[in-house]
Amino acid sequence: MAQVPVTEGVFTWPSETPQLIGSRCVACGNHMFPVQSGCPKCTGEKTEQVLLGRRGTLWTWTVQGFPPKAPPYAGDVDPKTFKAFGVGYVELPGQIKVEARLTEADPEKLKIGMEMEMVIVPLSTDASGNEVVTFAFAPVA
Amino acid sequence: MSTEVAIVGIGMHEFGRTEGVSGMEQGVIAVRRACADAGVKWEDVQFAFGGSAAAGAADTMVSQLGLTGLQFINVANGCATGGSALFSAYNTIRSGVFDLGIAIGFDKHERGAFRVDTRGAGLGNWYGASGLALTTQFFGMKINRYMHEYGISHSTLGKVSEKAFRNGSMNPMAWRRKPISEQEALDSLMLSYPLTQYMFCSPGEGGVALILARADKAHLYTDKPIFLDAAVVRSRRFGSFEVLAPSIALEHNAGPTVDSSKAAFEMAGIGPEDIDIAQLQDTEAGAEVMHMAENGFCEHGEQEFMIQAGDTEIGGKFPVNTDGGCLANGEPIGASGLRQVYENVLQLRGQAGARQVPNDPKVAYTHVYGAPGISGVTILSR
Ligand SMILES: [Zn+2]
């Protein structure tokens, strides 16, 4: 089964070491995610594309305990088979905090400050039978 | 010196679920009740600001209320729609353009969590597709971090819900009128850790209308005018942590609640210690806790002791969300902020019935917060 990204331009794919694609303000160095053209910090109008770090620390988290509404959600919304998933902000040193799914959904195993690494996870199957993938962060073993 | 402004009439349509009555019709009923409360005829109303998020353009309600030709301006400002209508009406009178007007908010939402229109919110489709575009997740993550930093307990979250449902049980306009215990709140379905089903408000229905007049003419309509001493709306600044944000800056900045609160106190010329009663945005139990500190009513972490001691109960030192808040009333977005003002007017008039606070309140405070990082505050006095 072929794998396709949920969207182009948000993370590098295909890649052995996928990275999120962000922007950096040319004037003040502020980082943004996803890519945008203007800087909310200094109101600068010029930004450049930058790849974000793959490792960071968990700044906060929750667990999505019920199926999100579809649309917009592309994943499993059947209450019988839906599996809760973690959601958190991961602080990428020197750059930004990014929001992402987490591969861990057990409140006992999620701790603020723990080391996390970016991975790619399956989300759904599209009409052509491709596996749609998105980005997530996993605890570093 | 700008003209002073008073609230001279209030009207509300019951919050909750009203089958067969559109959101707009609920708004119309609220307007008629407000007019009756002030002894004002619709044709006397010189201008209106009104809005809903999901129940249509407010200005079309004139076909039911009467085509009087008044100036009617629609307001659409997310969770601050009602607050923005009030802000606009307030400043229209202050500026001297008109003497008598109305602020209207109403709504009717589908069941279940809010469905976020990611494109309308300026977000890519991938964000919702990936399972991230849920406002509930933000609230879970904000309070989880806050509990970690300031030592707020799960029990305190349960107590906030218990209080909300108890206060709602004394409010005939509320949606949820059955008391629940702290334990029931803690044991209900975990929706977005650490927040359970009974710790979240639900999208709902309802309408509220407020009639405003020049303060020097308020006696024409009421013997209990309530003065609007401040009305402020603020959006977020760089570095704040807001709902529906794919990323946040490393540097931290206080959110729009802190900014709007400070501006409102400055405008009214008083401080948090002068407030007798407050209605604070409680989209979920944790929001009420955090908003107590963000609005300046305590230090971060102090809520743990205040709530455990019962300070925020109707009979406590600092009553909060005396009508049951969003938790017991649900959140019809367009009407929610005006509901808070409605409750404060009742409390300041001494007309809140079974839930009347016993501290003879003279100054009251309202606060709304919502997507995409917006806050509105009012200060009322008698
Ligand atoms: Zn910049």
Side-chain angles (χ1 to χ4, degrees):
Chain A
M1 188 159 58
Q3 287 186 322
V4 295
V6 66
T7 189
E8 299 289 339
V10 170
F11 53 89
T12 54
W13 188 259
S15 168
E16 285 293 306
T17 52
Q19 284 177 273
L20 295 175
I21 306 167
S23 302
R24 182 170 49 211
C25 175
V26 171
C28 78
N30 177 48
H31 284 74
M32 293 148 266
F33 172 78
V35 168
Q36 66 177 63
S37 59
C39 176
K41 183 177 184 183
C42 75
T43 74
E45 294 173 13
K46 206 168 164 212
T47 63
E48 59 191 6
Q49 193 170 301
V50 61
L51 296 182
L52 301 180
R54 301 184 63 246
R55 277 210 179 197
T57 54
L58 189 58
W59 187 71
T60 188
W61 57 272
T62 185
V63 176
Q64 177 60 36
F66 60 94
K69 280 182 176 167
Y73 189 48
D76 182 17
V77 293
D78 182 346
K80 290 191 205 76
T81 52
F82 172 78
K83 282 199 180 64
F85 58 89
V87 173
Y89 281 91
V90 176
E91 182 166 350
L92 306 175
Q95 295 184 320
I96 195 167
K97 301 178 201 112
V98 294
E99 188 183 15
R101 290 173 72 108
L102 307 176
T103 58
E104 181 59 66
D106 181 354
E108 294 299 316
K109 293 181 181 161
L110 288 165
K111 297 275 176 274
I112 287 172
M114 71 194 291
E115 285 285 316
M116 306 294 284
E117 184 172 37
M118 187 182 149
V119 295
I120 294 298
V121 294
L123 181 64
S124 63
T125 306
D126 72 13
S128 318
N130 299 310
E131 186 177 67
V132 179
V133 295
T134 191
F135 67 95
F137 277 80
V140 175
Chain B
M1 181 76 189
S2 58
T3 309
E4 299 296 312
V5 180
I7 296 174
V8 298
I10 58 173
M12 181 172 186
H13 183 280
E14 290 76 359
F15 275 37
R17 291 279 173 208
T18 311
E19 297 300 331
V21 183
S22 73
M24 179 90 61
E25 285 164 338
Q26 296 181 37
V28 167
I29 290 166
V31 170
R32 290 188 177 136
R33 288 176 176 168
C35 286
D37 183 53
V40 164
K41 294 199 190 78
W42 174 245
E43 51 263 43
D44 299 330
V45 178
Q46 298 168 334
F47 72 93
F49 286 90
S52 83
D59 68 328
T60 61
M61 65 165 58
V62 294
S63 63
Q64 295 189 61
L65 288 165
L67 299 170
T68 61
L70 85 167
Q71 172 185 302
F72 201 125
I73 294 175
N74 288 325
V75 179
N77 208 5
C79 298
T81 293
S84 301
L86 182 60
F87 171 86
S88 304
Y90 170 64
N91 283 303
T92 299
I93 292 178
R94 282 175 93 206
S95 70
V97 174
F98 289 120
D99 296 343
L100 187 73
I102 191 163
I104 308 163
F106 56 90
D107 245 313
K108 189 176 181 104
H109 303 288
E110 64 176 335
R111 284 164 207 278
F114 285 112
R115 186 194 303 270
V116 172
D117 167 14
T118 45
R119 196 143 49 150
L123 300 160
N125 285 337
W126 64 271
Y127 187 66
S130 298
L132 299 176
L134 284 95
T135 55
T136 41
Q137 295 170 348
F138 163 76
F139 293 112
M141 287 191 280
K142 189 176 174 193
I143 188 62
N144 199 17
R145 172 90 197 171
Y146 197 86
M147 291 165 85
H148 174 81
E149 280 190 73
Y150 297 110
I152 304 295
S153 65
H154 290 267
S155 158
T156 287
L157 300 182
K159 280 196 158 54
V160 169
S161 292
E162 181 181 4
K163 170 176 70 68
F165 285 80
R166 182 166 50 246
N167 293 355
S169 75
M170 291 182 275
N171 177 4
M173 303 302 256
W175 184 5
R176 316 276 187 205
R177 278 176 269 163
K178 185 173 164 282
I180 60 156
S181 68
E182 173 192 336
Q183 199 57 45
E184 281 173 284
L186 290 168
D187 291 345
S188 65
L189 193 67
M190 186 64 80
L191 295 185
S192 194
Y193 185 94
L195 300 168
T196 65
Q197 185 174 2
Y198 290 148
M199 293 177 188
F200 270 110
C201 86
S202 304
E205 304 172 17
V208 179
L210 306 171
I211 296 184
L212 280 67
R214 288 174 60 106
D216 57 5
K217 293 192 176 173
H219 63 277
L220 297 174
Y221 311 104
T222 179
D223 55 0
K224 287 186 174 163
I226 302 300
F227 302 100
L228 197 44
D229 299 328
V232 171
V233 176
R234 288 285 185 276
S235 62
R236 65 201 188 280
R237 286 188 290 142
F238 183 72
S240 69
F241 176 28
E242 310 296 346
V243 62
L244 300 176
S247 65
I248 43 182
L250 294 185
E251 63 196 79
H252 176 74
N253 199 335
T257 291
V258 172
D259 290 344
S260 52
S261 177
K262 279 187 182 148
F265 281 124
E266 200 167 301
M267 195 170 183
I270 59 171
E273 65 284 359
D274 298 311
I275 301 294
D276 299 315
I277 174 174
Q279 317 297 331
L280 307 177
Q281 179 80 30
D282 60 333
T283 317
E284 38 77 28
E288 179 172 316
V289 175
M290 296 183 284
H291 289 151
M292 286 169 63
E294 290 183 14
N295 284 289
F297 297 115
C298 63
E299 296 299 321
H300 291 297
E302 210 183 329
Q303 307 98 315
E304 177 68 16
F305 308 101
M306 293 174 72
I307 291 167
Q308 290 290 338
D311 287 358
T312 56
E313 298 281 348
I314 282 172
K317 283 185 222 163
F318 182 65
V320 174
N321 291 334
T322 47
D323 66 349
C326 291
L327 290 175
N329 286 280
E331 192 178 19
I333 289 181
S336 203
L338 298 183
R339 169 188 54 74
Q340 299 176 323
V341 177
Y342 179 96
E343 170 68 5
N344 276 350
V345 170
L346 282 184
Q347 292 282 355
L348 292 171
R349 286 177 176 177
Q351 296 173 345
R355 64 182 191 284
Q356 179 66 44
V357 300
N359 66 355
D360 190 28
K362 293 179 180 62
V363 188
Y365 185 97
T366 71
H367 158 259
V368 290
Y369 169 82
I374 187 164
S375 178
V377 166
T378 73
I379 296 174
L380 306 180
S381 66
R382 65 175 162 89

